[in-house]
Amino acid sequence: MPSDQRSTPHPLPATVPSLPHKWLRISGLLLVGLFVAYLDRSNLSIGIKNISTDLGFAGDGFAATSSLALTAFLVGYLISNFLGGFLTARVDAKWILLVTVAGYSLCTRTGI
C-alpha cells in the first residue's frame, strides 16, 4: 500500500475548548437573579400569615385574600417573563438585565 493512500487519524486539539469567561459572568448573574426570585417567592408564601395580620385580612377572609395575593404575584411573573422574552429578542440581553436589576434595586430601596 503506497504511503499517500494510508488514512491518518485526525490529530486531537492540544487544548480542550473551554467556556468563555463572559459566559461564566453571565451565568453567575443569572444564577444570583434566579436565587433572589426564588427567595421572593418563598418569603411571600411563608410570610403571608404575618402579612395578613398586619393588613387586616386574617381570619375568615384569609384563604380567599391570600390566594388572590399569591396569584397576583405569579401573574406579575408571567407578564414579566413574556415582556422579558419580547424585549430580549429585540434589544441586547445585557441591557435588559442591567435595566431590570437596576429597576428591581430601586423599587427595593424605595419600598415600592
Side-chain angles (χ1 to χ4, degrees):
M1 178 177 213
S3 63
D4 58 337
Q5 291 182 352
R6 275 188 257 168
S7 65
T8 58
H10 296 288
L12 293 175
T15 60
V16 177
S18 64
L19 194 61
H21 186 65
K22 74 174 184 172
W23 288 111
L24 290 175
R25 289 184 295 171
I26 291 171
S27 299
L29 285 174
L30 290 175
L31 180 68
V32 169
L34 286 172
F35 180 71
V36 169
Y38 176 75
L39 286 178
D40 284 343
R41 289 191 301 261
S42 298
N43 286 337
L44 186 59
S45 64
I46 292 169
I48 193 77
K49 193 82 164 167
N50 294 332
I51 293 170
S52 68
T53 305
D54 292 344
L55 297 179
F57 62 89
D60 292 337
F62 173 73
T65 308
S66 64
S67 66
L68 283 174
L70 292 172
T71 301
F73 187 76
L74 292 176
V75 167
Y77 265 88
L78 175 75
I79 292 169
S80 64
N81 280 327
F82 279 120
L83 183 62
F86 177 77
L87 287 174
T88 306
R90 286 158 179 73
V91 181
D92 190 15
K94 69 179 174 184
W95 290 108
I96 300 297
L97 185 61
L98 179 71
V99 168
T100 54
V101 168
Y104 185 85
S105 299
L106 182 65
C107 289
T108 301
R109 180 72 178 141
T110 59
I112 294 177

